[in-house]
Amino acid sequence: MRLYNTMSKVKEEFVPIEPGKVSMYVCGPTVYNYIHIGNARPMIVFDTARRYFEFRGYEVRYVSNFTDVDDKIIREANEEGCSASEIAERYIAECKKDMAAMNVRPATVHPRATQEIGGMIEMIRSLIDQGYAYEKNGTVYFSTRKDPDYGKLSHKNLDDLRGGSRSLLVSGEDEKEDPLDFVLWKPKKEGEPYWDSPWGQGRPGWHIECSVMARRYLGPTIDIHAGGEDLVFPHHENEIAQSECCNHAPFAHYWLHNAFLNIDNRKMSKSLGNFFTVREIGEKYDLQVLRLFMLSAHYRSPLNFSAELMESAKTSLERIRNAVDNLNYLLSAVASDEMTEAEKNKMEQINGFEQKFIEAMDDDLNTADALAAIFDLVRFANAEANTESSRAFIGAVKAEILKLGDVLGLIFEKKEDSLDAEVEKMIEERQEARKAKDYAKADAIRQKLLDMGIELKDTREGVKWNRI
Ligand code: AMP
Ligand code: ZN
């Protein structure tokens, strides 16, 4: 399997640190509002990468953070007259609902910055002790000149950057020794959340959180670090500087970055105001349409959002679902069970579609070509499966379509009935846990349901639930 590594600028053969295992860290959203579909792009493409690794037999440990302390969160809290943690809590819950609705699986761990402050203070202290960081009036900076490798990910010309230094200095940071130095710890301002530290009360900079959480949950060296391409510089460059200077070990072996989701050829972003939230799109479309739309392009190609492309993704999804519906009808209608010799020979073709799918995904996760293999399979199903076919043959064709769809996180068959039964069972378990006063278990079940996209309401008539 080959992956394009931003660090080396070429596709490299993937060799895991530990055979059969993959450790992945994906930078998550800053939670001050509903996520938009630009934010959804890394979620969908790296969830797909994770699913594909699992399909190839790897055990994946997938960590993705929530940035829950940040200027934007504080600003939103001040506007609404509530605390920053209330804002963060609310939008983490909303983000998890959106993820479930897009069939993005919850990470193995979803750490939050505010719960990792101790680890951040410890790493900052270690960087100061080792001479890589310095403190000025309650602010701690990383000294980029002390790191001979600084700039190796983004391949930027540091002299040029330093030459144009004024534009890099944010007001209040004039005390920096070098324009490229960045903040590890900043002193509190009135009305802001803060924590005690050896450098006074304050809060951590943004970059340090990912270095600390990646090390805590995955170790000093990880297989894959990923995020949107706007994170290459400075965020990921700074993460590498902090982690490698502190830990004296390579931080990540492969750096994966998705290109932007654009609208009218401009990056979709909150600050430009040219965004659609996942929630808004979910009101108009099944979010499986959004997922298929995202995967119809290679993750490193810019993707322009348009109603036309969404309609075309919708038609494509319907085409596959109709084929599966037809196979279900045939399964209930056909007469013979056993596969004929001719059908057994045709199974080779099915194998061929799977090989095409694998070749595409092995080539730097080419989901566009992988989808083409699924469409070939669907065409084959429409042409070859009919009332004369055996149940075994139709079952095998259907299973193959569903299996490849699942690797991409696409659901081609509605499983409402079986899901309903599972949900009812979990609700019963929760009620029993509550009766036994095991509230931790009851809460865990409620959260698990939320992750599945099911919301519970405790009413006088009993527990009600609905899909979100
Ligand atoms: P943020 O909350 O802005 O830190 O973004 C969270 C994630 O979404 C990061 O990995 C960003 O790179 C990514 N992201 C933000 N906007 C876009 C976009 N328009 N297209 C693709 N990825 C994006
Ligand atoms: Zn990060």
Side-chain angles (χ1 to χ4, degrees):
M1 181 173 179
R2 278 144 44 90
L3 296 171
Y4 181 88
N5 190 344
T6 307
M7 181 88 83
S8 64
K9 294 197 198 173
V10 289
K11 287 183 198 169
E12 294 175 25
E13 188 60 34
F14 177 71
V15 183
I17 297 167
E18 227 184 295
K21 294 196 173 164
V22 181
S23 53
M24 259 181 109
Y25 186 95
V26 182
C27 293
T30 307
V31 280
Y32 65 102
N33 208 326
Y34 290 101
I35 56 164
H36 61 68
I37 56 175
N39 304 134
R41 192 170 187 193
M43 289 178 181
I44 290 174
V45 300
F46 298 121
D47 175 66
T48 304
R50 172 195 194 175
R51 287 167 181 270
Y52 185 63
F53 276 120
E54 289 180 351
F55 170 70
R56 295 303 303 266
Y58 289 97
E59 188 188 309
V60 184
R61 214 171 138 70
Y62 189 99
V63 177
S64 191
N65 63 305
F66 286 115
T67 298
D68 62 350
V69 58
D70 167 272
D71 289 342
K72 294 181 211 127
I73 300 173
I74 296 167
R75 198 183 320 133
E76 182 67 29
N78 288 342
E79 273 171 26
E80 289 195 28
C82 62
S83 70
S85 65
E86 272 173 76
I87 295 288
E89 206 61 50
R90 183 196 311 159
Y91 290 113
I92 286 172
E94 298 298 349
C95 179
K96 285 188 172 175
K97 286 184 200 168
D98 286 336
M99 286 169 62
M102 296 186 295
N103 203 23
V104 168
R105 282 167 42 203
T108 318
V109 192
H110 275 295
R112 302 178 186 190
T114 56
Q115 289 168 11
E116 308 285 340
I117 304 285
M120 296 189 221
I121 290 175
E122 191 213 307
M123 190 178 269
I124 296 169
R125 200 201 313 247
S126 163
L127 286 168
I128 295 176
D129 289 349
Q130 298 186 67
Y132 290 108
Y134 57 94
E135 187 247 354
K136 290 251 171 90
N137 303 319
T139 303
V140 182
Y141 296 100
F142 184 91
S143 178
T144 50
R145 280 186 192 275
K146 295 270 170 59
D147 175 10
D149 287 337
Y150 191 75
K152 69 177 174 181
L153 177 72
S154 53
H155 310 285
K156 287 204 182 285
N157 182 323
L158 300 185
D159 290 336
D160 282 357
L161 284 180
R162 288 189 167 113
S165 64
R166 293 312 307 169
S167 61
L168 280 163
L169 284 180
V170 178
S171 66
E173 294 190 349
D174 313 8
E175 62 211 340
K176 288 202 282 194
E177 289 173 2
D178 183 286
L180 290 183
D181 291 357
F182 57 90
V183 171
L184 299 172
W185 185 266
K186 54 184 149 195
K188 73 164 180 187
K189 288 196 202 118
E190 196 47 44
E192 289 188 355
Y194 63 86
W195 290 264
D196 289 328
S197 85
W199 319 285
Q201 292 174 331
R203 62 186 163 102
W206 170 37
H207 314 300
I208 194 76
E209 75 179 71
C210 291
S211 284
V212 166
M213 297 190 243
R215 185 179 68 178
R216 169 151 186 211
Y217 295 102
L218 298 170
T221 303
I222 64 179
D223 289 304
I224 296 174
H225 197 120
E229 67 181 2
D230 51 339
L231 300 186
V232 175
F233 187 86
H235 184 53
H236 287 164
E237 195 71 67
N238 293 352
E239 283 189 38
I240 294 174
Q242 296 162 156
S243 294
E244 298 194 349
C245 290
C246 181
N247 306 332
H248 308 285
F251 185 28
H253 285 171
Y254 303 87
W255 288 88
L256 269 52
H257 293 100
N258 64 275
F260 290 144
L261 178 76
N262 292 330
I263 194 156
D264 298 327
N265 297 311
R266 291 178 79 190
K267 179 194 175 194
M268 181 177 286
S269 77
K270 294 238 171 75
S271 50
L272 287 173
N274 60 348
F275 65 90
F276 291 107
T277 61
V278 169
R279 213 49 75 85
E280 282 167 333
I281 297 299
E283 282 164 15
K284 268 186 101 174
Y285 292 97
D286 179 339
L287 286 171
Q288 284 280 303
V289 174
L290 180 71
R291 187 159 182 135
L292 194 143
F293 159 75
M294 295 275 188
L295 297 179
S296 64
H298 189 271
Y299 75 95
R300 284 189 295 113
S301 304
L303 177 58
N304 214 28
F305 180 79
S306 71
E308 220 179 350
L309 286 176
M310 283 294 283
E311 286 303 320
S312 139
K314 188 175 166 194
T315 310
S316 299
L317 186 64
E318 274 164 10
R319 188 142 52 95
I320 305 172
R321 286 184 170 168
N322 286 342
V324 173
D325 276 353
N326 185 45
L327 293 173
N328 278 334
Y329 159 74
L330 289 173
L331 278 175
S332 67
V334 292
S336 69
D337 283 329
E338 298 277 313
M339 239 189 250
T340 63
E341 280 310 308
E343 285 178 337
K344 281 184 191 154
N345 290 334
K346 282 184 192 155
M347 290 303 291
E348 295 232 335
Q349 266 173 278
I350 296 185
N351 227 328
F353 298 129
E354 180 166 324
Q355 281 316 312
K356 184 178 165 187
F357 179 94
I358 290 174
E359 268 165 40
M361 292 298 281
D362 270 357
D363 183 14
D364 193 28
L365 306 167
N366 191 335
T367 52
D369 285 0
L371 274 170
I374 295 182
F375 285 114
D376 287 348
L377 178 59
V378 164
R379 242 184 315 271
F380 169 88
N382 290 342
E384 301 290 342
N386 52 51
T387 44
E388 312 287 297
S389 312
S390 71
R391 199 165 279 114
F393 178 70
I394 296 169
V397 176
K398 178 185 152 187
E400 187 68 26
I401 298 177
L402 296 190
K403 177 171 92 176
L404 299 186
D406 187 51
V407 178
L408 301 182
L410 293 170
I411 302 163
F412 298 142
E413 188 182 41
K414 292 227 171 352
K415 281 194 236 149
E416 309 263 301
D417 294 346
S418 59
L419 180 69
D420 285 7
E422 195 188 338
V423 169
E424 297 293 350
K425 196 166 143 250
M426 285 170 73
I427 291 175
E428 247 171 61
E429 277 171 18
R430 176 170 168 266
Q431 292 302 81
E432 274 165 29
R434 280 166 47 144
K435 256 189 230 150
K437 299 206 183 327
D438 185 351
Y439 297 113
K441 184 173 175 195
D443 284 350
I445 295 173
R446 183 189 200 104
Q447 185 57 47
K448 192 159 175 229
L449 282 162
L450 258 183
D451 291 341
M452 290 162 61
I454 305 290
E455 190 172 47
L456 299 187
K457 280 207 182 76
D458 293 309
T459 70
R460 238 181 278 166
E461 294 83 44
V463 184
K464 300 248 162 75
W465 63 272
N466 59 289
R467 291 196 170 77
I468 42 178

